[in-house]
Amino acid sequence: MITGTLRQPGKVTMLQKCMLLFLGCFFLGVFLANFSLHDEALWIGFLHENQVRQFAGAEDVEHAEALLKTILLQRGLPWMILLIALCFRFGCAVCAIWFGWFGLSGGFVFAALLGRYGFSGIGQMGILGFPQVAAYAAAYIFLLVLMEAGKRVRQERRNAHLLQNKPDLKAQALLIVLFLLDTGIYGAGIWLEYWVNPWILLHTAVVG
């Protein structure tokens, strides 16, 4: 059963590994941003430039169609690549690399905003990521939990094959449904970033 995957005392899960990797790379990003990297390189992978320009009160922001294309490219494409990679043995490595890069990028952004706005930059970072980051975070955490469940389902399928028993098709079908549900959560994050976040940035724009 899938539920059995979540109860393995003493074993370090993929969720714990990726969270530690994210935090470690976040602090590494903050460190590097203060010594060798410049502001214009800090937004890659975390924020798109349109958010930065809009928050700064600039008028040359992307139109709706161009903005949607940018968000789909920067958010949707990596998610699809990650889901495809998880179908193969190297999927866990790809996932770990992505979480490391996400943490590094987040550290860059944090350091850049802190240097530009002072301690108020922490609040600025929250505004730039609200509310879509909550949906993205939930989707990624749920994905890591499903990865652990997927390992257990695959192991049970191999055991069933060796013992010439019938595989648990219900567990496999449930796992697929949960992956689709998780993709829906991530899609909600894209919708929030496209529709809600621009409105928030428009009404909280600062100059300078």
Side-chain angles (χ1 to χ4, degrees), residues 52-58 117 124 127 201-208:
V52 181
R53 294 201 305 267
Q54 190 169 5
F55 186 68
Y117 300 110
Q124 318 291 10
I127 294 173
L201 294 180
L202 181 64
H203 289 80
T204 57
V206 296
V207 179

Side-chain angles (χ1 to χ4, degrees), residues 33 39 42-43 46-47 52 55 106-129:
D39 282 0
L42 304 186
W43 316 107
F46 188 91
L47 301 172
V52 181
F55 186 68
F108 291 162
V109 174
F110 178 80
L113 292 176
L114 198 62
R116 183 178 298 181
Y117 300 110
F119 284 107
S120 64
I122 298 175
Q124 318 291 10
M125 185 174 180
I127 294 173
L128 287 165

Side-chain angles (χ1 to χ4, degrees), residues 46-48 51 67-68 70-77 79 102 127-140 180-201:
F46 188 91
L47 301 172
H48 51 77
Q51 286 177 294
L67 176 60
L68 181 60
T70 299
I71 293 175
L72 289 175
L73 183 64
Q74 294 190 359
R75 307 290 185 252
L77 184 60
W79 178 261
F102 201 53
I127 294 173
L128 287 165
F130 182 82
Q132 68 273 13
V133 168
Y136 292 146
Y140 278 118
L180 292 175
L181 176 63
D182 195 26
T183 300
I185 296 173
Y186 192 85
I190 292 177
W191 181 84
L192 290 171
E193 186 168 358
Y194 177 64
W195 285 103
V196 181
N197 184 251
W199 184 88
I200 294 175
L201 294 180

Side-chain angles (χ1 to χ4, degrees), residues 24-34 37 103-108 111:
C25 289
F26 178 87
F27 290 113
L28 177 62
V30 172
F31 176 81
L32 292 176
N34 282 288
L37 298 169
L104 193 69
S105 177
F108 291 162

